[in-house]
C-alpha cells in the first residue's frame, strides 16, 4: 500500500524554520522595504525577476506571489539583526515526487554562505519530511554564483539547455543541477 503524504500539511507545519544564523518564515507586506532594497537593484535581480520600479511593485509581488500561495515560500531573516535579506522557495511537483528550489538574495549579503545555509535547510525538509526523490534548480550560464550555491548543497550538473528561453531580451542557456534522495542520504548519513 502506497503511503499518501499531505505535502501542504507538512509545509503548513513548517512555515517557520531556523538555521544557525537564519530564520526562514512567511513573507509579509512588512518586508516590502527590505525586499525593495534589493528588488530595485539591477545587479541583484538580473537573473531572477524584472526590476521593481517602485515600492508598489514590491508590495504587489509580495501579495501576488508570497501571500496568495505561501506554502513552500520563505523570507530569509538574519537572526542577529532581524533584517530581511532575501527569499527562497521549494516548488513541489506532487505527481512526479520532485521539487525545484529557487532563491534571491540582497547583494550586500552575497559571499557569507547565507544562501547555501538556507537552501540546505529546504533540502532537509524536502527529503526528510516531504519524501521527495529529487530536488533540482536551474541557473543562467552567465550566473555562475548561483551555480556555486547549488554546488555547495550537493547538486550536480545534470545538463545544459541551449536557447532555453528568452529573458530580458537575451537568449539564455540554462544549466540544470539536481540532487537525488540517494545522493542526499550518502552525503548526510
Amino acid at each position: 500500500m502506497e503511503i499518501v503524504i499531505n505535502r501542504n500539511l507538512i509545509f503548513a507545519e513548517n512555515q517557520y524554520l531556523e538555521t544557525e544564523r537564519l530564520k526562514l518564515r512567511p513573507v509579509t507586506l512588512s518586508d516590502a522595504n527590505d525586499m525593495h532594497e534589493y528588488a530595485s537593484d539591477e545587479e541583484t535581480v538580473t537573473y531572477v525577476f524584472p526590476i521593481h520600479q517602485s515600492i508598489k511593485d514590491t508590495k504587489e509581488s509580495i501579495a501576488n506571489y508570497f501571500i496568495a500561495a505561501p506554502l513552500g515560500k520563505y523570507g530569509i531573516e538574519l537572526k542577529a539583526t532581524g533584517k530581511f535579506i532575501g527569499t527562497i522557495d521549494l516548488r513541489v511537483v506532487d505527481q512526479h515526487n520532485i521539487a525545484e528550489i529557487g532563491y534571491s538574495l540582497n547583494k550586500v549579503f552575497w559571499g557569507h554562505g547565507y544562501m547555501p545555509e538556507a537552501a540546505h535547510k529546504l533540502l532537509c525538509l524536502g527529503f526528510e519530511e516531504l519524501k521527495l526523490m529529487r530536488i533540482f534548480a536551474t541557473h543562467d550560464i552567465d550566473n555562475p554564483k548561483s551555480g556555486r550555491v547549488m554546488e555547495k548543497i550537493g547538486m550536480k550538473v545534470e545538463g545544459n539547455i541551449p536557447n532555453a528561453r528568452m529573458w530580458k531580451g537575451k537568449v539564455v542557456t540554462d544549466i540544470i543541477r539536481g540532487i537525488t534522495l540517494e545522493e542526499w542520504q550518502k552525503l548526510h548519513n
Side-chain angles (χ1 to χ4, degrees):
M1 187 172 110
E2 187 178 335
I3 297 171
V4 176
I5 298 168
N6 185 327
R7 293 193 171 114
N8 284 336
L9 177 59
I10 292 168
F11 274 131
E13 292 171 341
N14 288 279
Q15 289 184 78
Y16 296 87
L17 302 171
E18 287 195 22
T19 68
E20 183 182 340
R21 302 178 296 167
L22 306 171
K23 287 182 181 175
L24 304 182
R25 57 161 180 81
V27 179
T28 69
L29 286 176
S30 64
D31 297 316
N33 288 333
D34 282 347
M35 183 183 283
H36 186 72
E37 184 180 305
Y38 68 85
S40 61
D41 174 70
E42 184 58 46
E43 186 181 359
T44 299
V45 303
T46 296
Y47 304 103
V48 191
F49 52 79
I51 194 165
H52 292 189
Q53 302 295 333
S54 66
I55 193 77
K56 181 177 183 277
D57 288 349
T58 303
K59 285 180 177 180
E60 286 177 354
S61 174
I62 290 170
N64 293 339
Y65 186 73
F66 293 98
I67 295 175
L71 297 181
K73 300 171 186 172
Y74 299 87
I76 302 170
E77 179 184 305
L78 289 177
K79 279 185 181 179
T81 63
K83 173 87 172 161
F84 177 93
I85 62 170
T87 61
I88 188 165
D89 61 351
L90 192 62
R91 298 179 294 274
V92 174
V93 183
D94 269 319
Q95 72 188 62
H96 299 304
N97 204 31
I98 61 172
E100 181 175 10
I101 195 168
Y103 43 80
S104 180
L105 184 69
N106 185 327
K107 75 177 181 191
V108 173
F109 300 95
W110 291 358
H112 297 282
Y114 294 129
M115 198 50 74
E117 187 174 323
H120 181 269
K121 189 68 176 181
L122 282 198
L123 291 186
C124 286
L125 179 66
F127 288 126
E128 295 169 14
E129 302 295 327
L130 299 169
K131 307 298 183 197
L132 298 169
M133 66 177 197
R134 178 173 161 267
I135 298 174
F136 69 99
T138 61
H139 69 90
D140 184 318
I141 198 167
D142 294 332
N143 187 12
K145 288 179 182 174
S146 187
R148 185 73 186 112
V149 169
M150 297 169 199
E151 195 177 293
K152 286 180 178 180
I153 59 172
M155 290 185 163
K156 296 178 180 155
V157 173
E158 296 176 338
N160 290 6
I161 306 170
N163 298 356
R165 57 193 166 94
M166 289 294 295
W167 180 248
K168 297 184 179 180
K170 176 183 148 229
V171 177
V172 173
T173 293
D174 275 334
I175 296 177
I176 298 178
R177 295 178 188 252
I179 183 169
T180 64
L181 174 60
E182 293 78 17
E183 290 165 340
W184 171 262
Q185 289 170 335
K186 281 181 193 166
L187 290 173
H188 297 92
N189 285 339

